[in-house]
Amino acid sequence: MRAVAGLVLLAATVVAGCATAQPLVQVSASLTTVPLPSGTAVVSRVPGVPVESCDATASLRPSTVSGPAVQAIRQRGRLVVGIDQSTNLMSFRDPVSGELQGFDVDIAREVARDLLGDPGKVEFRLLTSPERISAVQDGAVDIVVKAMTITCARAEQIAFSTVYLDAHQRLLVPKDSPIEGPGDLAGKRVCSQVETTSLATVARVAPEATLLAVQNWDDCLVALQQGQTDAVSTDDSILAGMAVQDPNLHLVGPSLEGEPYGIGMNKSREDLVRAVNGTLERISQDGTWLSLYRRWLNVLGAAPHPPEPRYRD
């Protein structure tokens, strides 16, 4: 999921009126009859996203040499991981055990397996999307595994691993919806998360759509179920988790934007970047990556080949 520097301009409309003695009319759910999720707003303007011109998906070549960052993690005895708890299939809490589960969770545990010899030696810290970069820069976490798209703007602030999942932005709609792609979004409401470029992508491909910005992806699901939005647009890995929760929803349309996911780390910790890339190379070769994909993301279709790593040195 991509992030945009700066906050979009929001416009909220307050509807007021006076009424005489009139018969009550049953009104279907809409932006005015059902309260929107907290922090939700209609977006009036979205900054454009700069064309990617760098080589951000190329990372440092794997190495087994233990530098100061890796040694500090081993002395501490646990890997501190920034993650989410509400993105079904990627990172979410099991309703029975209360434990974090998902594709991103298992990727983090594989890193801990290689660094500490035990996939259970992980301390998860919950982060919002705007907190991801600062948590890495400040050293609050060792790594961030949170469906984070590698972009040139982010690569200027933090280091990234090689790509561990190639996601694609698409649309999620009710199965009885006439929407089949971006060409059907004119005059429709489309929900996405604030501080992501998903909003900007929708604004680009469907300039006549009304954009709804929410704080959490669960809010988009609620808005869609309540009839407050006509579609949700973000990465297919996230949309698939929503579709699993509600069988009345499905993904439609082509890819609107490629979303290569990377693990975020502090730029000064090159030995950790190389170690993480070593884990990603291992799981792509020993079948672990395919096993994790089939366990969590099979709803997207047959498991593809693991992303091909690209190194700059």
Side-chain angles (χ1 to χ4, degrees), residues 268-307:
S268 67
R269 300 176 179 176
E270 291 191 359
D271 61 316
L272 179 58
V273 178
R274 295 183 188 277
V276 168
N277 283 339
T279 293
L280 296 181
E281 188 171 272
R282 172 184 64 80
I283 66 174
S284 70
Q285 295 176 353
D286 67 8
T288 301
W289 189 93
L290 283 174
S291 177
L292 296 182
Y293 189 98
R294 288 168 179 153
R295 179 184 181 189
W296 297 112
L297 301 176
N298 218 36
V299 65
L300 292 173
H305 291 293

Side-chain angles (χ1 to χ4, degrees), residues 2-72:
R2 298 169 183 251
V4 182
L7 191 62
V8 295
L9 300 177
L10 304 179
T13 303
V14 178
V15 180
C18 55
T20 57
Q22 297 290 336
L24 295 176
V25 178
Q26 185 67 36
V27 182
S28 61
S30 71
L31 283 170
T32 58
T33 61
V34 178
L36 288 164
S38 177
T40 302
V42 176
V43 177
S44 60
R45 182 181 175 188
V46 180
V49 179
V51 176
E52 295 289 295
S53 58
C54 70
D55 196 17
T57 58
S59 187
L60 299 177
R61 193 170 298 278
S63 173
T64 57
V65 177
S66 297
V70 171
Q71 290 173 1

